[in-house]
Each structure stands twice: as C-alpha cells, then as structure tokens.
C-alpha cells in the first residue's frame, strides 16, 4: 500500500499535466513516436502476477491446485478463467484459500474468477478445483488463464500431478 501526501499528489498531477501538454504539442507537430516514449518513461509501476501449480492437503489425500502469486500487486477487477477440456457431469467449483479471489462455481466446463478488490503485493492465493473428470483413458486438461498469463496440466487416472 502506498500512502501519498497532498504535496506528492499535486506533484504527480503537475507531471501528468506537463506530459499531456507535451504530448499534444508533439502530436500536433507529427512527433507521435516521441510522445509515446515520454509517456512510457513516467510509468508509476508495473503490477504483475505469476500463475502456477501446487498440491494441497495431507499426504494421504493430496489435491491439485493452481496458485496466483502477486509480486507487486494485482489491480482490482482482474479476472481469471478456469477451464477443463472434458466437461464433467456437474458444475465445476473452485475453492480459494483467500478472500482476495473468492471461491466460485460455474458450468461443467468453465468457472470465472475475479479479484474485486485486487491482491496485495507478496500474496499467494491457492485455488483448488473440484468436480472435474479424471479419465482412465485420454487426458483432461485443466487450465487457469487471465491476469498473469496461463498455466495448464493434463491428467488422467494414471498420470496425476498429486
């Protein structure tokens, strides 16, 4: 969390106003490339997330889970989609270990997830999917995609990650 003073806020607004005037001047004179370069160098910071995989639960009952690790914070409203390649017989569910990304239910093939208030820097959210098929032949591919990229795993009864 970053706390700024009134003076810092005024300085940021002053810099933003100066950049806007400079960009308008450059664009009107045909300097679009220069204006874009100026705007990039003043970026406040890049927020990112890393999507990964893990196993959760006791050794006698390990379950596959996805992780969202926030290195510098995830903005409010970020979304993810959990999908399976082979739909099950009932709706999928994804349980979350954190209120930052609430648990959700979906169709037999898709669950939409979101971070309404964002995820603070240094936080890892573990998402455990349930009610998906683990076939005896062929594979079922589980995928988490959205803010931070995409990660997937193909599994069947004989080849499970956990």
């Amino acid at each position: 969390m970053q706390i700024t003073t009134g003076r810092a806020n005024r300085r940021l607004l002053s810099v933003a106003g100066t950049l806007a005037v400079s960009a308008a001047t450059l664009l009107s004179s045909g300097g679009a490339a220069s204006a874009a370069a100026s705007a990039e160098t003043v970026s406040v910071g890049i927020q990112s997330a890393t999507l990964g995989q893990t196993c959760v639960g006791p050794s006698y009952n390990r379950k596959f889970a996805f992780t969202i690790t926030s290195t510098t914070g995830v903005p409010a409203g970020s979304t993810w989609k959990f999908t399976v390649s082979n739909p099950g017989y009932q709706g999928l569910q994804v349980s979350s270990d954190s209120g930052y990304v609430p648990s959700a239910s979906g169709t037999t093939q898709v669950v939409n997830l979101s971070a309404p208030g964002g995820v603070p820097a240094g936080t890892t959210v573990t998402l455990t999917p349930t009610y998906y098929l683990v076939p005896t032949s062929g594979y079922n591919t589980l995928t988490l995609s959205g803010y931070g990229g995409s990660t997937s795993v193909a599994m069947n009864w004989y080849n499970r990650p956990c």
Side-chain angles (χ1 to χ4, degrees), residues 25-33:
T25 305
L26 287 170
L27 288 174
S28 67
S29 65

Side-chain angles (χ1 to χ4, degrees), residues 39-76:
E40 281 184 351
T41 58
V42 184
S43 67
V44 177
I46 298 172
Q47 297 179 328
S48 65
T50 303
L51 305 182
Q53 304 170 7
T54 189
C55 294
V56 296
S59 60
Y60 58 86
N61 190 22
R62 303 291 282 168
K63 295 179 181 175
F64 175 78
F66 287 109
T67 59
I68 300 170
T69 303
S70 169
T71 53
T72 58
V74 173

Side-chain angles (χ1 to χ4, degrees), residues 128-155:
T128 309
T130 53
Y131 302 123
Y132 59 88
L133 293 177
V134 181
T136 55
S137 64
Y139 287 89
N140 194 358
T141 303
L142 284 63
T143 304
L144 180 68
S145 60
Y147 189 83
S150 179
T151 184
S152 61
V153 62
M155 68 173 75

Side-chain angles (χ1 to χ4, degrees), residues 52-108:
Q53 304 170 7
T54 189
C55 294
V56 296
S59 60
Y60 58 86
N61 190 22
R62 303 291 282 168
K63 295 179 181 175
F64 175 78
F66 287 109
T67 59
I68 300 170
T69 303
S70 169
T71 53
T72 58
V74 173
S78 295
T79 60
W80 297 270
K81 184 183 286 192
F82 169 72
T83 59
V84 293
S85 59
N86 295 322
Y89 299 107
Q90 69 184 70
L92 293 169
Q93 293 182 358
V94 176
S95 301
S96 174
D97 71 341
S98 169
Y100 296 120
V101 180
S103 300
S105 298
T107 67
T108 58

